[in-house]
Amino acid sequence: MRELMLDNGQWLRGPLLVGLVLGLIGPFGTYDLLPLSVRLVYWTAIITLNWALCDIAARWLDQLLPRDLGGRSTAVIIVTAVVVSGPATGLVTIANGVSSIGWPDRVLLLYGQVFLLTTAISFPVFLIASESESSGHLRSASMNIGSADGSLFQMRLANLKVSEIRYIETQDHYLRLHSDHGSELILCRMEDASRELSGLGHRVHRCWWVSDKARSGIERVGQSIHVVLNDGHRVPIGRTYRAALSKAGWL
């Protein structure tokens, strides 16, 4: 649920930002026809609805068109705009009719304006959809292909090698990877990291993962248990992970 909310929040950033900017600028005569508050609502609604239509169409076309097609990305963007501009013109017509703008008397002119708008929207929508699909394939691969050597996780790294990672900690939506040569910050979930590194260490806490080679011992103080690393660091062990760690011979 948390991931779904984050994904939806990230998706909404684009249309909300564009709608806000257009609401302030007031293109196509809306600056003079609508007061600021109504203009902001008008453009935010228009952009969000058309953004959703472009998103659906772009994803569908991305699956439909051959991967080896020349100029494929451009084709997806243009065809998306063509497909969406029809129903989008209908949406804008209704929005104009129920607002103080009024029903359009030059539909072809309105269609041309909407086509320009959907073309501009289709470009970032396609890029976001492509990036999201690539991330999805990587997550799917990590779930279905065992990676005891950490090769899948290595694809995420820019400078470090998987074999150099000593321990990992979460920092907001990022992971801080620690090694003898410094650290690296990547955008990744701890759940994905611990799965892709399952043969090289263990997740010991909601916010921590420790490699086998970095573990020196265990320290118990009252109800608290920590993994002691061979450089002196102490990493807490969460209650949820103690059974698995005991089975693995760490406790």
Side-chain angles (χ1 to χ4, degrees):
M1 179 63 72
R2 181 174 178 272
E3 285 296 316
L4 180 61
M5 292 175 65
L6 288 173
D7 290 342
N8 289 336
Q10 292 173 350
W11 184 92
L12 282 171
R13 290 177 188 172
L16 291 179
L17 179 59
V18 175
L20 176 62
V21 171
L22 293 181
L24 294 172
I25 296 174
F28 304 128
T30 56
Y31 188 89
D32 297 321
L33 293 172
L34 299 173
L36 177 60
S37 58
V38 177
R39 197 166 66 240
L40 289 172
V41 173
Y42 172 88
W43 278 111
T44 299
I46 289 295
I47 295 300
T48 301
L49 290 173
N50 288 334
W51 194 287
L53 289 175
C54 288
D55 187 49
I56 294 170
R59 291 177 187 273
W60 173 66
L61 289 167
D62 190 37
Q63 294 293 326
L64 183 66
L65 296 180
R67 294 288 171 182
D68 58 352
L69 178 67
R72 186 174 179 278
S73 298
T74 302
V76 171
I77 293 170
I78 297 300
V79 177
T80 294
V82 172
V83 170
V84 170
S85 56
T89 300
L91 289 174
V92 175
T93 298
I94 295 173
N96 289 358
V98 299
S99 67
S100 59
I101 296 176
W103 298 97
D105 46 2
R106 289 189 291 177
V107 178
L108 287 179
L109 175 61
L110 179 63
Y111 175 83
Q113 294 172 338
V114 172
F115 179 75
L116 290 175
L117 185 65
T118 53
T119 302
I121 292 174
S122 297
F123 180 71
V125 163
F126 174 68
L127 293 180
I128 294 171
S130 299
E131 181 179 351
S132 174
E133 184 176 349
S134 298
S135 298
H137 287 323
L138 182 59
R139 287 196 298 267
S140 178
S142 69
M143 291 177 65
N144 296 314
I145 303 176
S147 180
D149 60 353
S151 57
L152 283 173
F153 193 74
Q154 184 66 59
M155 297 169 61
R156 301 178 183 272
L157 307 183
N159 301 309
L160 292 179
K161 293 181 179 179
V162 164
S163 59
E164 298 174 335
I165 300 174
R166 298 173 50 77
Y167 61 98
I168 303 173
E169 62 175 316
T170 60
Q171 292 185 358
D172 294 326
H173 304 308
Y174 294 84
L175 296 180
R176 173 70 67 179
L177 316 179
H178 296 272
S179 76
D180 291 331
H181 309 293
S183 66
E184 182 174 323
L185 192 67
I186 66 170
L187 180 61
C188 179
R189 299 188 305 168
M190 178 63 82
E191 178 182 350
D192 295 331
S194 61
R195 180 173 56 247
E196 294 171 15
L197 294 169
S198 60
L200 303 176
H202 292 278
R203 187 176 184 179
V204 300
H205 188 275
R206 180 174 59 87
C207 301
W208 297 87
W209 178 92
V210 175
S211 72
D212 288 327
K213 66 178 184 179
R215 181 177 65 98
S216 175
I218 297 295
E219 179 182 79
R220 299 175 185 266
V221 179
Q223 298 296 318
S224 299
I225 306 178
H226 289 76
V227 179
V228 181
L229 307 186
N230 47 29
D231 64 355
H233 277 86
R234 286 166 170 73
V235 175
I237 296 179
R239 294 181 182 275
T240 305
Y241 304 93
R242 293 180 184 180
L245 291 173
S246 179
K247 186 176 180 180
W250 278 41
L251 296 178

